[in-house]
């Protein structure tokens, strides 16, 4: 459930207005507008959908209907550590699906979701252009090559340890 403060609502509205002003109010621009909004926020906030709808004279249902044809759109915010599992052909062929399942189990979250503590979100993506390293997982900006389902726990534990050390170092300063 999305909950935003009044200040956040204003921020989102201002950012969306800046995007919309770059497009004619024509429905043919819906997908590029949604892409720009997702680039700006990491997902499509509900408020953005209604602002876009008002601009293009479309209902929320119509917009979600069109967006649902494209599986790269997400409807909830990214986690602090956004995890993307490549499911392009090369990665899929060498076990990307098994890694994805292991991630879902380890995080107790489904693809497109976010963990309860908001630390991790999980998405599948199309080829990210380094097929020689398949199967490839990306967390934030960092690429994890030649992933296996058995490496998943190790990567997540290391990440949590790095977080804890960074928090401790900050508290010590
Ligand atoms: S298919 Fe995964 S990097 Fe190309």
């Amino acid at each position: 459930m999305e909950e935003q403060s009044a200040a956040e609502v204003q921020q989102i509205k201002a950012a969306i207005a800046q995007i919309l002003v770059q497009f004619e109010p024509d429905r043919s621009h819906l997908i590029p507008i949604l892409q720009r909004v997702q680039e700006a926020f990491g997902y499509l906030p509900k408020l953005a959908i209604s602002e876009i709808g008002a601009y293009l004279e479309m209902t929320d249902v119509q917009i979600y209907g069109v967006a649902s044809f494209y599986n790269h759109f997400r409807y909830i915010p990214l986690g602090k550590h956004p995890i993307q599992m490549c499911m392009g052909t090369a990665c899929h062929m060498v076990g990307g699906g098994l890694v994805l399942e292991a991630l879902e189990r380890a995080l107790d979250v489904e693809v497109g979701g976010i963990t309860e503590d908001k630390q991790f979100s999980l998405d599948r993506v199309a080829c990210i252009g380094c097929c020689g390293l398949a199967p490839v997982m990306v967390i934030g900006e960092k690429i994890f090559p030649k992933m296996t389902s058995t490496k998943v726990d190790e990567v997540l534990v290391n990440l949590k340890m790095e977080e804890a050390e960074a928090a401790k170092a900050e508290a010590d300063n």
Side-chain angles (χ1 to χ4, degrees), residues 25-27 50-60 62-63:
D26 186 300
R27 293 178 183 202
S50 43
E51 294 288 301
I52 294 167
Y55 190 67
L56 299 181
E57 296 184 357
M58 294 178 76
T59 64
D60 291 9
Q62 287 173 318
I63 295 177

Side-chain angles (χ1 to χ4, degrees), residues 40-115:
F41 295 96
Y43 75 111
L44 301 176
K46 258 190 188 156
L47 181 56
I49 298 296
S50 43
E51 294 288 301
I52 294 167
Y55 190 67
L56 299 181
E57 296 184 357
M58 294 178 76
T59 64
D60 291 9
V61 172
Q62 287 173 318
I63 295 177
Y64 283 121
V66 174
S68 66
F69 283 106
Y70 301 82
N71 61 15
H72 64 278
F73 289 127
R74 57 177 292 125
Y75 306 96
I76 56 174
L78 292 172
K80 183 176 178 192
H81 304 287
I83 301 179
Q84 296 182 317
M85 186 63 215
C86 179
M87 292 300 288
T89 307
C91 288
H92 186 252
M93 297 286 286
V94 291
L98 294 175
V99 179
L100 190 61
E101 282 172 19
L103 283 163
E104 286 183 316
R105 276 196 305 274
L107 297 169
D108 194 19
V109 74
E110 289 184 0
V111 172
I114 183 170
T115 54

Side-chain angles (χ1 to χ4, degrees), residues 83 102-103 106-107 120 137 139 144 151-162:
I83 301 179
L103 283 163
L107 297 169
F120 299 98
M137 177 178 82
I139 303 184
F144 293 82
K151 284 188 194 168
V152 164
D153 283 337
E154 183 189 325
V155 169
L156 294 177
V157 167
N158 285 344
L159 195 59
K160 286 176 186 167
M161 274 169 47
E162 282 169 26

Side-chain angles (χ1 to χ4, degrees), residues 86 88-91 127-131 134 136:
C86 179
T89 307
C91 288
C127 178
I128 56 170
C130 43
C131 308
V136 181

